[in-house]
Amino acid sequence: MSTHEENLPPLFTVHQLTAGVQNLLGTVFADVRVTGEITNLTIASRGHGYFTLKDAEAQLSAVIWNTTRKQAGVELRDGMEVVCRGRIDVYPPRGTYQLIVTAVEEKGLGSLEAAFLKLKQRLAAEGLFAPEHKKPLPQPIRTVGVVTSPDGAAIHDFLQVLRRRWCGVDVVIYPSAVQGRGAAAQLAEGVRFFNTHAGRLGIDCIVLTRGGGSMEDLWEFNEEILVRAIYASELPVLSGVGHEIDVTLCDLVADRRALTPSEAAEIVSPDASDRLMRLRQHEKRLRYALQSKLDRLETRLESLKNHPVFRFPYRPWEQASQAVDMLETTLRRAIRIPIERLENRLANAAGKLQSLSPLGVLARGFSITRTESGEVVRLAKQLLPGEKIVTQFSDGTISSRVEESP
């Protein structure tokens, strides 16, 4: 072996060298945290996320598997500043190294928000926020149970709006703390109280409300005990917590969310001016309908008044009498014609019979001779001398004796 060959570095295949780098990086950077901005984010069909972490001077390929992404509870997006935890690995087919993300959180995300997101994800997986579990608010609402602090600004705003809009809604207040340790349990007990005594108190729905504040101030409305009490409520629950930008887990599980306590009052009460306007509209439509009905009846009455049966009341009787007379004439004619035909036939038959009658023959100068026994004499040899005979003429009969016979 030459000296030149002894000074050469080891010879590796591409696979061998890549595997060595992979083992080295996987050992040295087995658990690291990297901060940067997400760019070129792609979510594959199987849910795995591929993106690039970058800062002002460098960039790093990263992969987050579907299960890890779901457990993180963070909706990744381009431009998001994040802190990723994971290990450095090499992707041999391309010979590139990448960060395999095992956990991710938005940069600057506090412990409360992280806990909020984690609980939100777990409860959502159980279906507590699913739309099919939402109950509609009854209409109309006559009595509402409000769980809140009786000394807070929220109940003041709620009642003020309610008085201004509609005085027909009764309010029953369950006093509860709305901030600080133990408030969630009191709020949950208020929800259960109204469900237990809904029949006695006539409660139609429940309102949970308080004014705005920081996440720490509103945290009791994110506690699991309260969220589950709202979910288990048989009465519809309206959540009016904080301001429009404040979103709590109570807002998500409630059957209806109001952006503010004042809007909660608007939701449970009709606007008196709106009701008055609707009543006037209904009154106008009713007047129009009644007037139209009266107009139609008047038109019909006028038509009936001018009907011939009222103007000429005897006309139907006269027409009926005339019709009877016509029927009688027709009937008589129908009967007379056959009789006349029969009479003509009878006269013809009588004339023919008369022409053939023996009396008719006698009237023409002929006579009929009979023996004493009544037998008609047709031949002279029928008679014997001395026999009595009777001869009938047209005007009578004579008797005679035969003096001689042939």
Side-chain angles (χ1 to χ4, degrees):
M1 180 178 298
S2 66
T3 304
H4 176 71
E5 291 179 350
E6 291 178 354
N7 294 331
L8 291 176
L11 179 63
F12 298 96
T13 65
V14 174
H15 171 70
Q16 291 171 337
L17 183 59
T18 301
V21 173
Q22 187 176 31
N23 291 334
L24 177 62
L25 293 177
T27 301
V28 177
F29 301 101
D31 188 14
V32 296
R33 294 173 70 237
V34 184
T35 180
E37 178 186 343
I38 293 178
T39 185
N40 299 325
L41 174 65
T42 302
I43 304 298
S45 60
R46 295 171 58 186
H48 306 318
Y50 300 90
F51 57 93
T52 300
L53 277 178
K54 71 172 186 176
D55 57 21
E57 299 176 350
Q59 62 181 24
L60 171 67
S61 296
V63 178
I64 182 169
W65 307 127
N66 184 38
T67 53
T68 304
R69 186 173 64 85
K70 290 182 176 180
Q71 291 172 357
V74 177
E75 191 67 29
L76 301 180
R77 63 184 184 275
D78 284 337
M80 177 186 288
E81 292 283 342
V82 293
V83 176
C84 294
R85 183 174 182 175
R87 70 180 189 279
I88 298 297
D89 199 357
V90 175
Y91 183 56
R94 294 185 180 177
T96 57
Y97 72 94
Q98 58 189 0
L99 176 67
I100 307 299
V101 179
T102 57
V104 61
E105 62 181 29
E106 191 170 358
K107 190 174 182 179
L109 191 65
S111 59
L112 281 180
E113 190 169 357
F116 171 85
L117 293 174
K118 185 176 181 179
L119 181 59
K120 174 185 175 183
Q121 182 182 18
R122 179 162 61 83
L123 297 179
E126 293 183 31
L128 268 68
F129 309 140
E132 56 267 24
H133 295 306
K134 307 293 184 183
K135 296 179 287 294
L137 295 180
Q139 293 295 333
I141 295 175
R142 296 182 174 86
T143 304
V144 59
V146 182
V147 184
T148 189
S149 170
D151 303 321
I155 188 62
H156 174 75
D157 294 343
F158 181 87
L159 293 176
Q160 187 178 42
V161 173
L162 205 60
R163 283 193 296 266
R164 185 183 74 245
R165 286 174 57 84
W166 187 251
C167 59
V169 178
D170 295 329
V171 178
V172 180
I173 299 176
Y174 184 94
S176 171
V178 293
Q179 184 175 338
R181 185 178 297 275
Q186 293 183 35
L187 293 166
E189 183 57 33
V191 173
R192 288 191 288 268
F193 173 84
F194 282 128
N195 275 275
T196 301
H197 302 284
R200 178 171 62 87
L201 299 175
I203 303 298
D204 296 313
C205 71
I206 300 172
V207 173
L208 276 169
T209 186
R210 67 147 286 161
S214 65
M215 174 170 276
E216 289 80 3
D217 296 335
L218 301 176
W219 184 254
E220 293 299 303
F221 290 87
N222 293 320
E223 289 288 354
E224 185 172 356
I225 185 174
L226 179 56
V227 174
R228 292 194 179 277
I230 295 173
Y231 179 77
S233 174
E234 295 183 2
L235 292 172
V237 177
L238 171 63
S239 176
V241 178
H243 301 302
E244 182 175 355
I245 61 173
D246 301 320
V247 179
T248 67
L249 296 182
C250 284
D251 295 328
L252 300 180
V253 74
D255 299 296
R256 180 84 179 269
R257 183 202 174 196
L259 300 180
T260 62
S262 297
E263 188 184 54
E266 293 177 358
I267 291 174
V268 300
S269 64
D271 190 343
S273 59
D274 289 344
R275 284 291 177 94
L276 182 59
M277 182 178 66
R278 290 183 183 179
L279 285 174
R280 287 173 177 170
Q281 291 174 347
H282 289 321
E283 179 188 15
K284 186 181 295 185
R285 284 196 291 266
L286 183 59
R287 285 180 179 275
Y288 177 78
L290 289 175
Q291 188 60 49
S292 298
K293 182 71 172 179
L294 287 174
D295 291 343
R296 289 195 298 270
L297 290 175
E298 287 179 358
T299 302
R300 186 178 178 187
L301 181 60
E302 188 68 23
S303 176
L304 290 174
K305 185 177 70 173
N306 294 325
H307 196 278
V309 74
F310 294 107
R311 296 178 61 190
F312 309 102
Y314 296 104
R315 179 176 291 176
W317 177 81
E318 293 172 350
Q319 292 176 347
S321 297
Q322 185 177 358
V324 170
D325 291 340
M326 293 178 65
L327 287 174
E328 181 182 4
T329 300
T330 303
L331 182 61
R332 289 180 179 277
R333 183 183 298 114
I335 295 174
R336 187 179 68 253
I337 291 175
I339 291 177
E340 289 177 350
R341 289 176 181 172
L342 290 174
E343 288 177 348
N344 292 333
R345 290 176 61 187
L346 181 60
N348 293 333
K352 292 180 181 179
L353 184 61
Q354 181 66 29
S355 64
L356 298 176
S357 172
L359 295 177
V361 175
L362 294 177
R364 293 196 297 272
F366 295 92
S367 63
I368 300 174
T369 300
R370 291 184 177 89
T371 62
E372 192 174 10
S373 61
E375 182 182 355
V376 176
V377 179
R378 292 183 176 84
L379 299 173
K381 63 181 181 181
Q382 290 180 249
L383 300 175
L384 299 175
E387 186 175 358
K388 186 179 178 179
I389 59 175
V390 178
T391 302
Q392 182 178 352
F393 299 92
S394 62
D395 58 349
T397 58
I398 61 172
S399 297
S400 60
R401 289 187 184 277
V402 179
E403 293 189 1
E404 59 181 47
S405 63

